Amino acid sequence: MTATTSRVRTPAGTMNTTTSRTERPERVTVAVHAADPVLRLGVVQQLRQRPEIDLLADTDAERAQVSLVVVDHVDDDVAVLLHRLRHNTDTRTGLVVATLGSGALQRVIECGVAAVLRRAEADQDQLLRLVLAIANGEGVLPGDLLGTLLAHVGSLQRSALDPRGVSLSTLTTREADMLRMVSEGLDTAEIARKTAYSERTVKNVLHEIITRLQLRNRAHAVGYALRNGLI
């Protein structure tokens, strides 16, 4: 709190001194969510040193302007948390994550995440920039992830502009990614880890491809996709 002093001339010609107080700018309220207490503590300690930030206790997390979710990777439990935070219209969500594949990027955006920061880059200054950007209604993505997102959006736009290009043999981005991993020799568990989906979801996606294209098995699906330039 700072004070400023001004002199005001009265009608009688005397000088009165008045003091007004300039209020400190309102701080951004932040809640940090992390299943791993070590990850949470690291981010909390960084932000606690910044006068622009007002860190909230878990009991007050619902009234945060910015919710930061700190994780190693995005799995089903993280997706559930992100969906829950999305329903709180008073908060915007940012993600601090160690690894994030293209499939997981689409998933977190669908969950309402406004900004993403890789944990390896999450020093005090970067965390502050992330929080302030989210509070100002901005979106933040690392450059390579932004390129991935733009490519995906472009693909969707091309499909919308040319409906004739969409057929039963067209694969979604997620389907193509999973088939590509099958072609590289990855099993269900490995694909689940790389895409941040559950093993059940991976099995369902691959089964849907095989059924829709009337193929026999995964190997047949990979061969079909390669022959038709789908992966």
Side-chain angles (χ1 to χ4, degrees), residues 65-134:
Q65 294 170 262
V66 174
S67 291
L68 285 185
V69 176
V70 188
V71 294
D72 284 320
H73 59 274
V74 177
D75 55 19
D76 289 344
D77 290 337
V78 173
V80 169
L81 171 60
L82 294 175
H83 272 295
R84 178 171 64 79
L85 293 173
R86 185 178 189 179
H87 292 311
N88 182 357
T89 57
D90 293 329
T91 187
R92 300 185 78 238
T93 304
L95 180 69
V96 182
V97 62
T99 59
L100 188 68
S102 58
L105 173 62
Q106 181 180 346
R107 192 178 191 187
V108 300
I109 290 175
E110 290 170 353
C111 292
V113 170
V116 175
L117 177 66
R118 286 197 172 91
R119 269 196 11 230
E121 302 168 358
D123 59 21
Q124 187 180 124
D125 290 337
Q126 292 290 347
L127 284 169
L128 178 63
R129 291 191 189 100
L130 184 76
V131 168
L132 296 181
I134 296 171

Side-chain angles (χ1 to χ4, degrees), residues 77-208:
D77 290 337
V78 173
V80 169
L81 171 60
L82 294 175
H83 272 295
R84 178 171 64 79
L85 293 173
R86 185 178 189 179
H87 292 311
N88 182 357
T89 57
D90 293 329
T91 187
R92 300 185 78 238
T93 304
L95 180 69
V96 182
V97 62
T99 59
L100 188 68
S102 58
L105 173 62
Q106 181 180 346
R107 192 178 191 187
V108 300
I109 290 175
E110 290 170 353
C111 292
V113 170
V116 175
L117 177 66
R118 286 197 172 91
R119 269 196 11 230
E121 302 168 358
D123 59 21
Q124 187 180 124
D125 290 337
Q126 292 290 347
L127 284 169
L128 178 63
R129 291 191 189 100
L130 184 76
V131 168
L132 296 181
I134 296 171
N136 289 330
E138 301 170 13
V140 179
L141 282 177
D144 61 314
L145 294 182
L146 179 58
T148 300
L149 177 61
L150 291 175
H152 177 65
V153 171
S155 176
L156 293 178
Q157 289 175 334
R158 287 191 295 273
S159 297
L161 292 172
D162 184 15
R164 292 172 300 175
V166 180
S167 67
L168 289 177
S169 64
T170 299
L171 300 178
T172 66
T173 301
R174 179 171 70 171
E175 289 172 340
D177 285 344
M178 289 188 183
L179 269 187
R180 193 174 295 109
M181 293 179 197
V182 172
S183 73
E184 294 170 355
L186 276 65
D187 60 22
T188 299
E190 291 169 324
I191 294 172
R193 284 196 295 272
K194 279 185 170 291
T195 59
Y197 288 102
S198 67
E199 291 187 33
R200 181 177 180 180
T201 297
V202 173
K203 290 178 182 177
N204 288 342
V205 169
L206 294 174
H207 177 73
E208 164 63 22

